[in-house]
Amino acid sequence: MQYKNSNIVPYYIRRSGGLFPAPLPPNSDECAKSAELFRILGIFLAKVLQDGRLVDIPLSHAFLKLLVSPQLVSSSSSEPKIEDVLTLSDLEQVHPVKGHFLGQLSNLVHRKRSIESDPNLDSSVKRRRIEALRLELGEHECSVEDLALTFVVNPSSSVFEYKEHELIPSGANIDVTIDNVDLYVEKCLDFYLNSGIRQQVAAFRQGFDFVFPLKSLTAFIPNEVQTLLSGDQRPEWTREDVLKYTEPKLGYTRDSPGFLNFVEVLVGMNTEERKAFLQFTTGCSSLPPGGLSNLHPHLTIVRKVDSGDGSYPSVNTCVHYLKLPEYSSAEILRERLLAATNEKGFHLN
């Protein structure tokens, strides 16, 4: 995903766990702005599915769970009930650092409750054992109080910035201790996975439903929806696939040495090279379900006139049209093709 305005340098958002709504204070101006963008995103992705297009948008598994959750999309309420869909494990995937930390606090809460519920211990022993509980942070141990936490969360890295958000009334003035750490964990999880994203998810649903009902996706599992949106993220093809589902024209035939060299180069590509090639020629780094056979229009390869070993391939991405010079060897073809696929930009050709 790319964000750009007059004050921010363009950048692409890539997260190992995939894209997920950034939590924002409910009913804030920042949340309202974000919700409007999510409404547009809902319209866009619904049209992508409706028109059979592919987009490079690596949504997180947690967000995809929200899209296919029957209890969420079938609710008659405009406010989605997210709290029954997402868990701590989802947060650990979306935001490993926060998720891991809250996981450690949750484990400490579990140990605390085990002590509290032990009928063989008197109250004074329970209290001593609870106060002796420690968190393991790397090679060090510390108490909850050592963390100097309050019931406040700060903004995640987001284009929408806010100073801080109090998890409970006057939360900035309330320290997190061993006695209230369970409430802190509960409120953090609610903010990250429920109240802080509720308006964005509701707006996304509204936008999606404008095109066709989001509940149509409940027949799929999250990974299937990602494939429908973005295609096969590890594109594969065989020599037979390339020969059958690419179309040599205007100077090339299926028997042309230049075209056959191209086939061999494509077959020899690794996964990252294939993704770069697809991005270069089709505008998307993945293939639709079914592979090359379902790429429409099929990839067309034509001979680039007045060019040779010193030239580079060029493309008409909209119609999957590759203009390929007739190189003297497969090695030069591979070198020039990979160089072209690694170039970024938009150029007339």
Side-chain angles (χ1 to χ4, degrees):
M1 295 292 291
Q2 188 183 48
Y3 180 83
K4 181 179 181 180
N5 69 19
S6 59
N7 300 317
I8 299 177
V9 177
Y11 64 91
Y12 286 90
I13 301 173
R14 294 287 181 184
R15 299 185 68 91
S16 59
L19 301 178
F20 187 79
L24 297 167
N27 302 315
S28 64
D29 291 341
E30 295 84 357
C31 194
K33 294 175 184 177
S34 179
E36 175 58 19
L37 294 178
F38 270 90
R39 188 185 69 83
I40 296 171
L41 179 63
I43 295 173
F44 170 68
L45 292 185
K47 286 299 294 179
V48 165
L49 292 174
Q50 187 179 64
D51 297 345
R53 303 290 183 179
L54 294 179
V55 290
D56 280 320
I57 180 166
L59 300 175
S60 65
H61 188 268
F63 190 62
L64 292 168
K65 281 175 65 175
L66 296 178
L67 302 191
V68 302
S69 169
Q71 61 264 45
L72 181 62
V73 301
S74 298
S75 172
S76 59
S77 171
S78 60
E79 290 293 327
K81 297 180 179 180
I82 302 173
E83 59 269 23
D84 296 329
V85 179
L86 301 180
T87 65
L88 175 59
S89 62
D90 294 306
L91 181 62
E92 289 175 339
Q93 291 183 7
V94 171
H95 202 304
V97 175
K98 289 179 180 176
H100 178 68
F101 176 66
L102 287 177
Q104 288 185 305
L105 289 180
S106 294
N107 180 268
L108 183 140
V109 169
H110 177 73
R111 286 184 284 153
K112 171 189 168 185
R113 290 175 177 172
S114 295
I115 294 171
E116 291 173 335
S117 61
D118 191 338
N120 299 316
L121 301 176
D122 61 34
S123 58
S124 61
V125 174
K126 288 181 180 180
R127 188 62 197 173
R128 287 197 300 272
R129 292 193 178 183
I130 288 174
E131 291 178 348
L133 290 174
R134 292 292 183 269
L135 287 164
E136 293 184 5
L137 300 177
E139 299 178 354
H140 305 283
E141 291 187 351
C142 68
S143 67
V144 173
E145 289 77 7
D146 290 335
L147 298 173
L149 296 171
T150 60
F151 279 79
V152 166
V153 290
N154 294 315
S156 29
S157 50
S158 165
V159 294
F160 297 104
E161 296 292 346
Y162 56 92
K163 292 182 179 179
E164 59 184 26
H165 172 64
E166 293 186 325
L167 297 170
I168 59 176
S170 301
N173 301 316
I174 301 175
D175 294 329
V176 179
T177 68
I178 191 62
D179 295 317
N180 61 17
V181 65
D182 44 353
L183 179 63
Y184 177 79
V185 172
E186 175 189 336
K187 293 299 182 180
C188 280
L189 289 177
D190 176 73
F191 179 65
Y192 294 135
L193 299 178
N194 183 32
S195 62
I197 66 170
R198 184 183 295 274
Q199 287 178 250
Q200 299 93 302
V201 174
F204 179 92
R205 172 184 168 184
Q206 181 187 43
F208 199 102
D209 284 343
F210 182 78
V211 180
F212 69 90
L214 181 60
K215 65 182 180 181
S216 303
L217 297 186
T218 59
F220 301 94
I221 62 175
N223 290 345
E224 290 173 336
V225 175
Q226 183 68 75
T227 301
L228 290 173
L229 288 170
S230 303
D232 184 359
Q233 298 297 295
R234 295 184 60 83
E236 296 182 359
W237 52 66
T238 64
R239 187 175 189 276
E240 290 70 26
D241 291 334
V242 179
L243 286 170
K244 187 174 182 179
Y245 300 117
T246 58
E247 300 178 3
K249 292 182 178 179
L250 301 180
Y252 285 131
T253 68
R254 297 193 185 279
D255 298 322
S256 299
F259 176 71
L260 293 176
N261 283 339
F262 166 77
V263 172
E264 297 307 320
V265 168
L266 245 63
V267 173
M269 286 180 172
N270 60 36
T271 297
E272 292 307 312
E273 291 168 345
R274 293 183 183 204
K275 289 171 71 70
F277 171 79
L278 289 171
Q279 183 70 49
F280 177 64
T281 53
T282 72
C284 183
S285 65
S286 57
L287 284 173
L292 283 176
S293 63
N294 285 334
L295 180 64
H296 296 293
H298 283 166
L299 185 63
T300 299
I301 296 88
V302 301
R303 184 175 177 273
K304 192 171 187 178
V305 297
D306 299 327
S307 59
D309 285 352
S311 303
Y312 291 89
S314 56
V315 294
N316 187 330
T317 300
C318 297
V319 291
H320 306 164
Y321 200 82
L322 174 65
K323 302 170 187 177
L324 185 70
E326 188 164 12
Y327 297 108
S328 59
S329 69
E331 290 74 20
I332 296 176
L333 191 157
R334 174 180 168 80
E335 178 187 343
R336 295 290 187 266
L337 184 58
L338 291 182
T341 61
N342 287 325
E343 279 295 316
K344 306 298 181 186
F346 182 85
H347 308 281
L348 298 175
N349 61 81

